[in-house]
C-alpha cells in the first residue's frame, strides 16, 4: 500500500514540485483514498486520482487598473477549473498578496471533495488574484473588481462556473464583480453567489460557513454525548467565517475567548459576548480596522502581537483564518491544555503534523472540507433559488444548511469509523467525497 501511495505522490511531485500547498492537500487525500481504491475493483487501475489532480483548465490573466493617484497597477488573475464531473465548477475567489497557482490549486482540489460532500450538484474550482485589498479605497476596489471581471467573464457562467467569495472577497466585491459581468453579458443570471439580498442573494449565505462549522462541531460532540453549551472556544481570524462561527457558538451557549488577524490575537477572559461581537463586526466590516483595536474598547482584554490563539486554554478550537495557521507545536499545546474538539472553518488551517497529532490523541478533529462546507452548500442553495427565480425564508435556508451539515457528518461516519469506534473524519470526508466524483467520471468515460 505504501508503495502505491509513494509511487503516486512521486509522480504528482515530479509535475508540481514547486507547489507545496497543492502537494500537501493531495498527499492527505492520497493517503486515505488510495487504500480504498486498491480495495475496490471498479476504481482500481483507472488512474482516477491522477486525473483528479490535474485541473481540467487553469486560466491566468493580466489585470491592469488605475489607482487613486493615477498610477497604472498590474496584478495577476486566476481561475482554476478543477473538476466538473458532478456539476458546474463552483468555488470562491481570493484576493490576497500571497495568492499563486499552488494556493489556488490546493483550494480548488479541496473544493472538489467538499462540494461532492454537500450532496448538491457542484463541481470544484477556485480563483483570485495577488491583489491586496488592504488600505485600498472603495473606488480602487471597484476599479480592480471591474478590471478582473472584464477578463474572467469569458470563462464563467451560471451553467459553467459560478464563483463566490473567499479571503478578501465579501459582499462589496461580489457586487462590483456582478455589475461588470451583467454589463458585459447583458444578462441577469446567478453567475456569482454571495450576492446582495435585493439582487438574488440567499439569506444565511453570509453566515453559512461559520454557522456550519459550529453545527459540525455540535454533531461531533454529540457522538460523545456532549454539546457546545458551556464550552470554552478559541477562534482564529476575525473575518466572515470567524465572525459567524462566534455568533453561533454564543447561540448554542458556548464562550468565545479569542479572535485574531494577521497581526496577532485578542484574548478576552470574560468572553466575547454579543455586544462585543457587534463591535468587532463593525470594526472589521465597516471601518476595516485591525483586531488590536478591540482592547481600546475593552481594556480588560489583551492583545498578543504576532501570535496565534492556540496557546490559550480551551475545550474546542476553531481555526477560521487561513492555511497552515496551526502547526504541530500548536496542536501539542492545545492537547496539553485539554482541547477535545477541533472544527476547521478555514481551508487546510492545520499542518500535516498538527493533523497527525490530533489523530494520534484521538480527539474529535474535522478537516475543513467537511466542517466548512456550509458556505458553499448555501451557495448551492442560492443557485437553486436563482434558477427557480424565488427566495426562501431565513428559516428554510438555515434548516437546509443544518440538514446538509448533518448529512456530511453521516457520510464521514460511513467511511471513517474505525472498529474501536474512533471516527477518522479525514478518511471519511475524503472517501465519501471521492466516491461520488469518481462514479460520475467513470460514467462519463475518458474526457
Ligand atoms: P476574510 O477575508 O473575511 O477574513 C480572513 C481572516 O483571516 C482575517 O481576519 C485575516 O486577517 C485572517 N488572515 C488572512 N490571512 C492570514 C494570514 N496569512 N495569517 C493570519 N491571519 C490571516 O476571509 P474568510 O473569513 O472568508 O475566510 C477565512 C478562511 O475560511 C479561509 O481559509 C477561507 O478559504 C475559508 N473559507 C471561507 C468561506 C467563505 O464562505 N467565505 C467558505 C469556506 C472556507 P487580516 O485582515 O490581517 O488579513
Ligand atoms: O472555500 C469555500 O468553500 C468558499 N470560499 C466558498 C465557495 C462558494 O462557492 O461559496
Amino acid at each position: 500500500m505504501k508503495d502505491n501511495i509513494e509511487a503516486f505522490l512521486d509522480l504528482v511531485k515530479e509535475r508540481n514540485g514547486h507547489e507545496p500547498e497543492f502537494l500537501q492537500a493531495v498527499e492527505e487525500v492520497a493517503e486515505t483514498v488510495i487504500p480504498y481504491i486498491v480495495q475496490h475493483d471498479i476504481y482500481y487501475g483507472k488512474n482516477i486520482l491522477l486525473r483528479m489532480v490535474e485541473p481540467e483548465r487553469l486560466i491566468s490573466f493580466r489585470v491592469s487598473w488605475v489607482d487613486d493617484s493615477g498610477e497604472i497597477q498590474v496584478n495577476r488573475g486566476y481561475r482554476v477549473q478543477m473538476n466538473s464531473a458532478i456539476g458546474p465548477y463552483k468555488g470562491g475567489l481570493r484576493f490576497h498578496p500571497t495568492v499563486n497557482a499552488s494556493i489556488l490549486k490546493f483550494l480548488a482540489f479541496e473544493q472538489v471533495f467538499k462540494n461532492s460532500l454537500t450532496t448538491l450538484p457542484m463541481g470544484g474550482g477556485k480563483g483570485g488574484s495577488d491583489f491586496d485589498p488592504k488600505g485600498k479605497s472603495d473606488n480602487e476596489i471597484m476599479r480592480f473588481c471591474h478590471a478582473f471581471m472584464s477578463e474572467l467573464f469569458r470563462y464563467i457562467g451560471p451553467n459553467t462556473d459560478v464563483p463566490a467569495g473567499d479571503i478578501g472577497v465579501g459582499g462589496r466585491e461580489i457586487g462590483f464583480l456582478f455589475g461588470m459581468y451583467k454589463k458585459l453579458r447583458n444578462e441577469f443570471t446567478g453567475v456569482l453567489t454571495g450576492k446582495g439580498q435585493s439582487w438574488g442573494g440567499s439569506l444565511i449565505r453570509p453566515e453559512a460557513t461559520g454557522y456550519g462549522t459550529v453545527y459540525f462541531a455540535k454533531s461531533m460532540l454529540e457522538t460523545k454525548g456532549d454539546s457546545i453549551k458551556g464550552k470554552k472556544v478559541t477562534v482564529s481570524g476575525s473575518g466572515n467565517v470567524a465572525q459567524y462561527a462566534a455568533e453561533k457558538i454564543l447561540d448554542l451557549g458556548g464562550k468565545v475567548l479569542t479572535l485574531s488577524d494577521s497581526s496577532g490575537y485578542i484574548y478576552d477572559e470574560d468572553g466575547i459576548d454579543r455586544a462585543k461581537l457587534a463591535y468587532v463586526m463593525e470594526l472589521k466590516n465597516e471601518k476595516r480596522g485591525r483586531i488590536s483595536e478591540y482592547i481600546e474598547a475593552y481594556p480588560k482584554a489583551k492583545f498578543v502581537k504576532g501570535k496565534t490563539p492556540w496557546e490559550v486554554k480551551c475545550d474546542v478550537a476553531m481555526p477560521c483564518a487561513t492555511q497552515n495557521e496551526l502547526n504541530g507545536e500548536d496542536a501539542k499545546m492545545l492537547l496539553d491544555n485539554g482541547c477535545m474538539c477541533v472544527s476547521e472553518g478555514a481551508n487546510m488551517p492545520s499542518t500535516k503534523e498538527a493533523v497527525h497529532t490530533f489523530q494520534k490523541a484521538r480527539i474529535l478533529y474535522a478537516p475543513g472540507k467537511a466542517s466548512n462546507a456550509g458556505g458553499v452548500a448555501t451557495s448551492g442553495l442560492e443557485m437553486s433559488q436563482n434558477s427557480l427565480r424565488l427566495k426562501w425564508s431565513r428559516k428554510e435556508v438555515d434548516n437546509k444548511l443544518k440538514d446538509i451539515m448533518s448529512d456530511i457528518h453521516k457520510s464521514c461516519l460511513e467511511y471513517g469509523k474505525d472498529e474501536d469506534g474512533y471516527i477518522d473524519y479525514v478518511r471519511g470526508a475524503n472517501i465519501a467525497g471521492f466516491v461520488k466524483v469518481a462514479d460520475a467520471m467513470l460514467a462519463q468515460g475518458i474526457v
Side-chain angles (χ1 to χ4, degrees), residues 23 47 66 78 98 101-102 138 140 153 160 215 228 244 290-291 308 322 340 350 365 380 395 408 426:
L23 290 174
N47 278 348
V66 181
Y78 299 90
T98 56
S102 171
D138 283 350
E140 287 177 322
F153 86 101
T160 307
Y215 293 152
I228 300 276
Y244 289 104
R290 307 299 298 158
I291 200 66
T308 50
T322 193
M340 40 117 55
S350 306
Y365 163 73
K395 194 148 186 224
I408 296 173
V426 175

Side-chain angles (χ1 to χ4, degrees), residues 377-394:
T378 308
S379 280
L381 301 176
E382 183 168 325
M383 289 165 72
S384 303
Q385 293 167 80
N386 292 163
S387 297
L388 293 165
R389 297 196 192 284
L390 48 75
K391 195 171 169 83
W392 296 329
S393 69
R394 212 182 145 79

Side-chain angles (χ1 to χ4, degrees), residues 79 90-94 111 114-115 118 120 122 125-126 162-172 174-175 190-213 215 239-245 247-248 281 285 345-347 368 371-386 391-402 404-405:
R79 187 71 183 165
K90 180 84 195 88
L93 295 171
R94 177 177 291 191
Q111 200 81 46
K114 186 196 303 194
N115 294 4
T118 64
L120 302 175
M122 299 182 289
K126 200 86 186 191
V162 182
D166 192 80
I167 291 178
V169 178
R172 173 181 63 166
I174 294 292
V191 66
L192 292 157
T193 57
K195 298 184 292 297
Q197 292 305 318
S198 59
W199 42 281
S202 175
L203 287 160
I204 299 282
R205 176 61 190 91
E207 295 90 336
T209 311
Y211 279 15
T213 304
Y215 293 152
N240 173 268
V241 180
Q243 291 172 16
Y244 289 104
E247 184 168 287
K248 190 50 69 182
M281 287 185 177
N285 309 343
N347 286 307
S371 46
N372 74 34
V376 74
T378 308
S379 280
L381 301 176
E382 183 168 325
M383 289 165 72
S384 303
Q385 293 167 80
N386 292 163
K391 195 171 169 83
W392 296 329
S393 69
R394 212 182 145 79
K395 194 148 186 224
E396 270 174 293
V397 182
D398 197 23
N399 284 339
K400 287 186 203 297
L401 170 62
K402 282 182 187 154
I404 289 171
M405 295 315 294

Side-chain angles (χ1 to χ4, degrees), residues 75-384:
N75 285 100
R76 195 169 285 178
Y78 299 90
R79 187 71 183 165
V80 183
Q81 298 184 328
M82 201 73 186
N83 193 299
S84 61
I86 63 168
Y89 307 107
K90 180 84 195 88
L93 295 171
R94 177 177 291 191
F95 292 169
H96 194 273
T98 56
V99 161
N100 57 32
S102 171
I103 288 180
L104 294 182
K105 277 174 68 183
F106 117 64
L107 289 163
F109 184 68
E110 293 268 302
Q111 200 81 46
V112 173
F113 293 81
K114 186 196 303 194
N115 294 4
S116 167
L117 284 169
T118 64
T119 72
L120 302 175
M122 299 182 289
K126 200 86 186 191
S129 174
D130 58 3
F131 171 73
D132 186 358
K134 278 202 193 83
K136 302 288 189 300
S137 69
D138 283 350
N139 272 326
E140 287 177 322
I141 298 285
M142 181 183 75
R143 286 198 294 276
F144 175 79
C145 289
H146 284 172
F148 182 85
M149 186 52 87
S150 72
E151 182 59 26
L152 185 68
F153 86 101
R154 297 172 211 289
Y155 311 105
I156 63 173
N159 295 310
T160 307
D161 184 352
V162 182
D166 192 80
I167 291 178
V169 178
R172 173 181 63 166
E173 291 74 18
I174 294 292
F176 295 143
L177 292 163
F178 184 81
M180 184 50 90
Y181 182 90
K182 182 166 69 62
K183 181 183 169 77
L184 293 171
R185 288 263 193 234
N186 194 26
E187 274 176 8
F188 196 111
T189 62
V191 66
L192 292 157
T193 57
K195 298 184 292 297
Q197 292 305 318
S198 59
W199 42 281
S202 175
L203 287 160
I204 299 282
R205 176 61 190 91
E207 295 90 336
T209 311
Y211 279 15
T213 304
V214 180
Y215 293 152
F216 200 88
K218 179 173 176 279
S219 292
M220 288 200 286
L221 288 163
E222 277 165 4
T223 66
K224 304 265 180 205
D226 210 337
S227 72
I228 300 276
K229 199 166 184 209
K231 294 282 178 302
K232 289 184 175 152
V233 189
T234 48
V235 177
S236 67
S238 49
N240 173 268
V241 180
Q243 291 172 16
Y244 289 104
E247 184 168 287
K248 190 50 69 182
I249 294 162
L250 295 179
D251 286 350
L252 299 184
K255 188 169 179 181
V256 182
L257 296 179
T258 63
L259 287 170
S260 72
D261 60 23
S262 55
S263 330
Y265 75 90
I266 53 120
Y267 172 37
D268 190 332
E269 208 182 339
D270 296 337
I272 299 164
D273 61 18
R274 280 174 204 283
K276 294 172 182 173
L277 184 59
Y279 168 84
V280 171
M281 287 185 177
E282 203 197 329
L283 172 72
K284 299 301 286 189
N285 309 343
E286 312 301 328
K287 298 187 184 142
R288 301 194 183 266
R290 307 299 298 158
I291 200 66
S292 55
E293 291 167 52
Y294 183 93
I295 55 166
E296 288 163 25
Y298 304 103
K300 268 180 78 189
K302 64 173 181 174
F303 173 66
V304 184
K305 199 174 158 192
K307 288 207 153 186
T308 50
W310 316 127
E311 57 192 14
V312 173
K313 188 173 161 54
C314 67
D315 306 305
V316 179
M318 295 195 189
C320 297
T322 193
Q323 65 274 358
N324 293 328
E325 55 163 315
L326 195 165
N327 63 26
E329 288 301 305
D330 298 325
K332 280 196 207 99
M333 261 190 297
L334 283 166
L335 292 177
D336 288 348
N337 280 328
C339 176
M340 40 117 55
C341 174
V342 178
S343 187
E344 295 184 342
N347 286 307
M348 207 169 73
S350 306
T351 63
K352 187 179 161 184
E353 293 71 31
V355 174
H356 287 168
T357 305
F358 292 141
Q359 290 185 322
K360 224 171 124 205
R362 293 177 113 59
I363 65 159
L364 299 166
Y365 163 73
K369 62 169 81 74
S371 46
N372 74 34
V376 74
T378 308
S379 280
L381 301 176
E382 183 168 325
M383 289 165 72
S384 303

